[in-house]
Each structure stands twice: as C-alpha cells, then as structure tokens.
Amino acid sequence: MKLKELESCLQQVDVFDEPKILLEQYPTSPHIAGCMLYTIHNTFDDIKGKLVADLGCGCGVLSIGAAVLDAGLCVGFEIDEDAIDVFKGNVEEFELPNLDVVQCDVCSLETLSLAKKFDTVIMNPPFGTKHNQGIDMTFLKTAISMAKTAVYSLHKTSTREHIQKKANDWNVKMEVIAELRYDLPASYKFHKKKSVDIQVDFIRFSIK
C-alpha cells in the first residue's frame, strides 16, 4: 500500500467530538499516523502478521492503520469510554477483524502479565504537560515492558536528552527516526492561536 493510500484511508477515521483536556486528547493526524505506520511497516517490517499494541489508542487511528497493514492482531488500550465508543464505531465502519480494544488505565496496567506479550507497541502518548507531569515516561516504560521487538512512539523533541538517559537506564536502544512538526489544532478553549506547532521526535526503541 502506498503512503498516500494509507493516509486517505486514515482520513475516514472518526475522532473525538469533545476532546478531554485532562487526558490530553489530541488526535494523531492522518498524515502523522500514516508516516509512522508506513515507516514501521516498510522499513522495519514490524506490523504485518505481528501482534501489535496501541497504548492510549484514543479513537483508534494508529490501531486501524496497523490493522489495514495486515497486523496479525492489534489491541488498543484506552481509559476513556467515549473514545472507546468511537473506536468501536470505526472498527465496524472499516470491517476489520484483526482489531480489539481494552478499557484500562495504561498507567496502572498489570505489566507483569503482559510482559513481552506483543511483538510491537505503537503509541502517541500524552506529552506529560499541564496536569500530567511524567505520564509520557510511564507510558514508555509500560510499552517497553510489553514489547518483544520494538516500541514506536512520539515525544516532544525538547525531552530527547531525558528520554535517551531513561533508554540507557532501561537498556534499550533508542533511534530518532524522524523529526516532525506536530500541529495541535486549537481544540481547547485556552488555545489562543488557531493551531500550535510542536517539534516532535518519532522514536524507535529496540528491545535488546
């Protein structure tokens, strides 16, 4: 599948009507999701036939993309019931059999029972701003414990050094695959501008 086809497919995915500020619900744009998944699939062959987890899956754009690219099974993990309802509607719309979703708090997942259960973990975690300091690292630590092969994640470029230190501590190899401009639409009332650009790293963590 070509990148353009994947992107236009992901444009059909329904997203949040009313994003929740405390959960930092910024949908992953079809463009960014498409670029991430296309690279994971074509460069690293970490989707097709694999067991994939999507942490903080929201309405499911990354999960659906992984399923479209023939993941063996993609399981989304999400705390918010409203997001899960949209996710399930998307799954029905796309008629994808290789998708499932689990309602849970990623930050308090019983990781021992899920340790090394997934080949690949993909995610666009909360960036850990405002009320959620450090949540991005909690997501990352959970993802690394769940993955056999690799974790793919988006993180603010400004946190790169901190994340590199953590990756060294956790004995995983970190590779910045691309630097992206993440366009945050003015989805909340406190956003004065129409949209805000954030520099974001798309990172692959290889499990040694």
Side-chain angles (χ1 to χ4, degrees):
M1 182 181 269
K2 293 200 171 80
L3 177 55
K4 277 223 165 84
E5 290 173 72
L6 180 60
E7 256 187 66
S8 68
C9 170
L10 296 179
Q11 274 159 1
Q12 318 304 313
V13 176
D14 289 335
V15 293
F16 308 103
D17 284 335
E18 293 178 11
K20 296 185 175 114
I21 192 165
L22 285 171
L23 298 177
E24 290 191 58
Q25 287 179 335
Y26 303 112
T28 313
S29 72
H31 174 64
I32 285 183
C35 288
M36 285 174 74
L37 293 160
Y38 188 79
T39 305
I40 296 167
H41 177 60
N42 283 303
T43 308
F44 299 100
D45 193 23
D46 278 336
I47 293 181
K48 190 172 183 179
K50 310 284 190 202
L51 185 53
V52 178
D54 176 6
L55 301 190
C57 61
C59 302
V61 67
L62 289 173
S63 293
I64 285 163
V68 165
L69 292 169
D70 291 329
L73 175 68
C74 184
V75 182
F77 292 81
E78 173 58 48
I79 194 171
D80 181 38
E81 210 165 317
D82 295 334
I84 288 174
D85 287 344
V86 180
F87 184 109
K88 286 177 174 168
N90 281 324
V91 172
E92 279 175 31
E93 195 74 26
F94 278 81
E95 299 180 335
L96 292 162
N98 53 344
L99 264 181
D100 204 354
V101 65
V102 176
Q103 184 171 12
C104 65
D105 180 356
V106 169
C107 295
S108 54
L109 260 184
E110 186 42 75
T111 46
L112 277 178
S113 60
L114 292 168
K116 305 280 175 270
K117 286 284 188 288
F118 292 86
D119 298 303
T120 307
V121 180
I122 55 177
M123 60 178 187
N124 177 8
F127 289 142
T129 49
K130 301 222 167 276
H131 317 276
N132 290 332
Q133 210 83 50
I135 194 170
D136 52 337
M137 301 316 293
T138 306
F139 264 67
L140 183 56
K141 192 170 189 189
T142 301
I144 286 167
S145 73
M146 289 167 70
K148 279 186 216 164
T149 307
V151 172
Y152 296 88
S153 187
L154 294 177
H155 295 274
K156 280 160 76 171
T157 303
S158 58
T159 62
R160 188 187 295 175
E161 271 184 40
H162 175 60
I163 292 171
Q164 182 65 73
K165 279 198 191 104
K166 288 287 188 190
N168 294 344
D169 291 349
W170 297 334
N171 198 28
V172 292
K173 182 179 166 228
M174 168 180 153
E175 179 189 354
V176 178
I177 300 169
E179 287 182 37
L180 307 166
R181 295 188 76 78
Y182 193 100
D183 186 39
L184 288 184
S187 40
Y188 299 122
K189 291 190 175 64
F190 65 79
H191 286 158
K192 306 273 190 297
K193 301 174 188 164
K194 282 218 166 64
S195 68
V196 187
D197 263 2
I198 294 184
Q199 292 292 123
V200 172
D201 288 346
F202 173 34
I203 305 177
R204 181 181 200 260
F205 299 89
S206 317
I207 314 304
K208 293 175 184 170

